[in-house]
Amino acid sequence: MLNNFVKVIFRNLVKHKTFSIINILGLAVGITCFAILTLFVIDEMGFDEFNKKSDRIYRVYISSDINGNASNTSKTACPLGETLRSEFPEVESYTRLGYFGMHELRYGDKLFREGDIYTADSTHFKIFTLPFIYGDPNTALVEPNSIVVSERAAEKYFGKENPVGKQFVVDDTTTYQVTGVMKNFPRKSHFSCNFLLSASTYPQTQSQNWLNSGYTTYVLFKDQIEPREFEKKLKRIVMEKVGPQAAAILGISLSDFFLKGNRYGFFLQPLTSIYLYSQTHYGIELNTEWGNVRTSNVNYSYIFIAIGVFILLIAIFNFINLTTAKSEGRAKEVGIRKTLGSDRSNLIIQFITESTITCFFSVVVSYIIIQLVLPLFNDFVDRELAINLLGNYYTLPLIIGFTLIVGLLAGSYPAFYLSSFQPSYVLKSKSGSRKSRLRSVLVIIQFAISITLIIGTLIISEQLQYMLNKDLGFNKEKVVVINNASALRNRVESFKQIIASNPGVISSTNSSVMFQSGIPGGSFQIEGKPDSEFKTCQLLDVDYDFAKTYQLTISKGRFFSKDYSTDTSAVVINESAARIFGGTDLVGKILNNVSTNSRTKVPMHIVGVVKDFNYESLHQVVRPLVFRISPVRQASFFFAVRIRSEDYASAIKSIKETWTKFTNGRELNCFVLNEKLEGMYIVEMKIGQLVTVFSSIAVFIACLGLFGLAAFVTEKRTKEIGIRKVLGASVYEIILLLSKEFSKWVIIANLIAWPVAYYIMTSWLQNFAYRINVNWIIFVLSGLIALVIALATVSVLVIKVALQNPVTSLRYE
């Protein structure tokens, strides 16, 4: 009997080649998409789990709302870690990460400017799992000027030799001794760098200032804890440690400050949540993360897994639809088998086995496609995803379970419905007259999903175009930025004067960093307001040509000028800062810079207000900003040069030659500003491209199934079409007749998809401070696209049948 089953199964697959290919290929493509997207999401969720103590490591962050300025920051005060270790028995250890800028490292004849040198406490390697190749991790960061390098950095400077004990010459002034070589940070680490310098190198790391938050503090607990319970204990630290220092600046006690509606507290974030959940679940501002911290957005994982499930559902529905449709043509086979003595159980086993084997073929084809496509996907998303059938305990059981479930679902209709008929009933061909509501429902769901994905694709594309083309409040074209201009040291002005002599250079300016995380901030108070009513603003150190070079618009007053000697103690603010300070005419007013280090106030008079411009990504609303004329104190700052379009190439060449002379041949690190700004949205661009690809695949699978159903319907109605043509029906009327039902399905699918897509996409757009308005035209356009595609798919068969000779149709059996 089994031998007979197998023969019949393969005969049916070969006999109905079109159905078989569509069935197998459609399901295989759906499985492939689901598998690849699932692998990506699983990879996203596994960050930092390589740390053996990951379940006991937490990052401390600050959540505050001060004078209407709410923020969550990953930076904390210097003494926090030691205080937690000494005052709470639950805390086993802590470590801090700090950053003191770029340095030039020289070893022999090798000289490089390094930007990823971070300070860490001597306990760092007792908390994080970072294996050593050379040196002792327990003592490597104990002494000042000790530095641990990554395997990558060691090879860069020292080749294959053991560098422990060797010394770097740093900035031509001091030395760092290599005390260890660690393996490169794992790819799935939220933080990575090539150099870790002992925190004791900098006396600032011993500061007891609780108001200056400049370090990331990680805490290792002795046992697993309940974070919310421990956070309650941290309130005491705020009142006892932060309170007295804050009161000295505020002029009132911290308790009274809180009674005014302000808020400030320490909270815990699990290590394994930093990469994926920092923004969505903890509200931590990206600007407060170190430059070497990797973060993602869990909402994108939700989008990808939803797309994967949608595509898989479309493919499964196709499979079920086509299997049940094809089975109706086998009613006579069922009648004959039952007449010849076959019982119902044998028929049920036959149909389910046939469906399961077909599903198995799809899984095999899918596995082959995955092996071909996955390397390309990995290159695009910069991952190392792989599917290994024997690599874990659950892969094979999942594949087997999936094959059996889909096979059972697809084979259940013919197995249980057709096998229940009496032979006399099915042999009279009455079973084919029953319309399948199930097929209609499944096709509607398929196209509802496809239309939702089309709408999502169009909205994502429009949002990306909006971000790339939005007026940012300054001219981003033809600006080249040197981002290691600190190599010029005290010769910046001389450098400016030399390049200004080139006719291709319009103007140039140096400033502290913009267009990235880590923009510093400060506390400011408008004259006449109480000490407790200070505001937090971002702070940019600039020179006199900043507004000219970036072509900012001055809304009130003026920008800095060398004609006014008092401008060295003046500030310019943006419109957002003007709003929070509550004035429409602030020019001439005094703005106090409140120092948390010296606990003093430095008065500066406001000389101008510039219109808001986007100095951060469009994910962030323009924040209050204060400009001051000051030498850039950061180790890395921006030197921007605006170049005439017609002299672009010669100007760039001249700038590089001048740089070489001024820096004794040091490497020039620069970028084109316009490209830098586009790069801020590289994640969204890739998301948009992936959504477009997978949405297209979803539509393709849906149309593949629709093509199969159209073939089934036209085959069933061949004689009817012949009779209608004999009775005078035109080709147009026949095409309209056969396409009407498919069109109705797509229209209903639109009504379902539109509200769902609207909810999903409006939620996604909330990630952007500046976003498009969802336009109803996108929904109509998506519906029309789906309708046109559906009708084009069906028309391939319908037109062929409609043009067929009626004699041929009437002879069809």
Side-chain angles (χ1 to χ4, degrees), residues 540-545 559-561 567-572 627-631:
L540 281 182
D541 292 325
V542 300
D543 67 9
Y544 295 98
D545 297 315
F559 202 71
F560 302 111
S561 172
D567 276 5
T568 54
S569 61
V571 293
V572 173
F627 305 87
R628 68 181 178 189
I629 289 289
S630 173

Side-chain angles (χ1 to χ4, degrees), residues 103-107 144-146 167-177 197 201-202 489:
H103 296 283
E104 285 183 345
L105 300 186
R106 182 194 301 275
Y107 178 75
N145 288 22
S146 299
Q167 293 184 333
F168 289 113
V169 177
V170 184
D171 298 330
D172 295 327
T173 59
T174 186
T175 59
Y176 293 165
Q177 180 168 315
L197 180 64
T201 303
Y202 293 94
R489 301 187 187 277

Side-chain angles (χ1 to χ4, degrees), residues 556-704:
K556 290 188 178 179
R558 60 178 177 81
F559 202 71
F560 302 111
S561 172
K562 292 180 180 179
D563 295 335
Y564 299 88
S565 60
T566 55
D567 276 5
T568 54
S569 61
V571 293
V572 173
I573 62 177
N574 69 351
E575 291 176 328
S576 292
R579 283 192 293 271
I580 67 167
F581 289 124
T584 55
D585 188 13
L586 295 175
V587 176
K589 296 288 182 67
I590 298 297
L591 187 69
N592 293 315
N593 185 1
V594 183
S595 172
T596 58
N597 288 320
S598 60
R599 301 175 193 175
T600 59
K601 293 187 291 187
V602 179
M604 299 174 290
H605 61 282
I606 301 172
V607 298
V609 179
V610 302
K611 284 191 174 181
D612 282 342
F613 70 101
N614 294 97
Y615 59 93
E616 297 178 282
S617 80
L618 294 178
H619 295 92
Q620 172 71 53
V621 66
V622 175
R623 295 190 282 182
L625 181 64
V626 173
F627 305 87
R628 68 181 178 189
I629 289 289
S630 173
V632 180
R633 297 183 175 87
Q634 296 171 329
S636 174
F637 60 82
F638 282 2
F639 187 95
V641 185
R642 178 166 296 282
I643 300 172
R644 300 183 195 279
S645 301
E646 60 273 17
D647 297 320
Y648 188 82
S650 61
I652 291 292
K653 181 180 178 181
S654 174
I655 291 169
K656 289 181 177 179
E657 290 173 350
T658 306
W659 171 270
T660 300
K661 293 176 182 177
F662 270 72
T663 62
N664 295 322
R666 283 178 172 82
E667 182 183 4
L668 173 66
N669 295 328
C670 64
F671 57 81
V672 178
L673 181 57
N674 199 21
E675 294 176 358
K676 168 78 172 180
L677 297 177
E678 290 182 5
M680 294 168 68
Y681 312 111
I682 189 66
V683 173
E684 283 75 20
M685 289 180 184
K686 288 192 173 184
I687 294 294
Q689 291 169 352
L690 288 175
V691 170
T692 300
V693 169
F694 285 108
S695 297
S696 300
I697 292 173
V699 174
F700 167 75
I701 296 173
C703 290
L704 204 61

Side-chain angles (χ1 to χ4, degrees), residues 546-564:
F546 184 86
K548 176 184 177 182
T549 303
Y550 284 100
Q551 296 184 359
L552 305 182
T553 302
I554 309 298
S555 58
K556 290 188 178 179
R558 60 178 177 81
F559 202 71
F560 302 111
S561 172
K562 292 180 180 179
D563 295 335
Y564 299 88

